[in-house]
Amino acid sequence: MSTFKAPKGTYDLTPPDSAKYLAVREAIAAPLKNSGYGYIETPGFEDVALFSRGVGESTDIVSKEMYTLTTKGGSELALRPEGTASVLRAALEANLHKLGNLPVKLWYSGSYYRYERPQKGRYRHFSQVGAEAIGAEDPALDAELIILADQAYRSLGLRNFRILLNSLGDKECRPVYRDALQEFLRELDLDDDTRRRIELNPLRVLDDKRPEVQKQLVGAPVLRDYLCDACKAYHEEVRDLLTAEGVVYEDDEKLVRGLDYYTRTTFEFVHDGLGSQSAVGGGGRYDGLSEMIGGPALPSVGWALGVDRTVLALEAEGIELELPASTSVFAVPLGEEARRVLFAKVTELRRLGVATDFAFGGRGLKGAMKSANRSGARFTVVAGERDLAEGVVQLKDMESGEQQPVALDALVAEIQQKLA
Ligand code: HAM
């Protein structure tokens, strides 16, 4: 242990557990790569204003949870709390939307930062894999994204998740609803904080978990009754497409999401084994975001899945991913001469693409065999002076436990044949 610890609300990924996180990232990315999404990477920090304008000044994410800093040069930056605003900013900056191929479909994977109260499943540094489809208004695109997330989770073996689906309306119908909701909420018996929220972000009040608030919300106007015909038709089409593909979802008219840029389709993937931090992923349409950050009108839709929570969901369901052992061959030299000879064989095997490791540090046979076991290697190669004098090495099959001498010259070919 050193003097230092990982900062509060963060944790390190170390072997062997880290392999699980890599596998989860790959499993989420695979359906996207298979569906025309190209990889994008953006900086870990951006201008604060990108998020305050994009995600919304009134959201918890911007008003309470952003890590902000002023550089020596005087720039106001924020560690990214989410990926959508950055990805859209980068797509606009690179003029990807002008190349004539709309929608621009992008996927990403990275670290995000929110100054939240840490608890299980809620961290200050966490990781997401996300997808954004920029520049097309088409219910099939919304359905595609939901189907791909569903496919990713299923490929990991997850079963106890649910998809919550809602429509938040658009710039025509939502303001009408917002007014009606505010009028209703202003009549209720609420604390000052919540009263402020009525004026800033009334839809979030519907999300209030406190029973004394929920009790008063009975009879509140519901957005569904205010959706304009275009939004209604769009939402029906998304639902029909999902149903036709056998993707089961639940209509959840209370689903609001914590970011201001959403319009129309919004959805969340929740897992029932995670307690209060049950959202493993979420997303939706954000038709106005591009204009909010100074770009042209580009209706878009996307999602992000939380890697940390997805790993917790796997654990909650008792799912062990089948991770192939990272090492196929482990070489154990006994003595100086053997070290030189086996090191050359290790290098040769690696150059041929065989995952190989080596007992470093000149430890004895017992300790080295322990390392060989721990590596998960299928074969161990042991060589001492006497073996080398006879021009052989000992090849041990770690599954059967059988060991046999193999001519040094034939070793590489023999291993390749056995692994094939
Ligand atoms: P979000 O719902 O804020 O959406 O985050 C997506 C997912 O990231 C959550 O469902 C959760 O799994 C994970 N997550 C969020 N905060 C934390 C935390 N503090 N600790 C652990 N995991 C966390 C977005 O970020 C949007 N950008 C999604 C999107 C993409 N919408 C459109 N395109």
Side-chain angles (χ1 to χ4, degrees), residues 61 82-84 108 114 116 121-123 126 128 131-132 257 259 261-262 279-284 286 302-304 306 309:
I61 293 179
E82 64 106 42
T84 308
Y108 53 94
R114 295 183 193 175
E116 298 202 75
R122 188 164 71 192
Y123 310 105
F126 58 96
Q128 292 183 342
E132 312 293 348
R257 310 262 309 127
L259 305 96
Y261 48 60
Y262 290 115
V280 285
Y286 48 96
W303 50 244
R309 288 188 197 167

Side-chain angles (χ1 to χ4, degrees), residues 332-335 337-338 342 382-390 392-394:
V332 177
L334 303 172
E337 166 76 359
L342 284 196
V382 185
E385 263 163 52
R386 202 165 347 127
D387 298 310
L388 293 180
E390 291 168 19
V392 300
V393 297
Q394 302 297 325

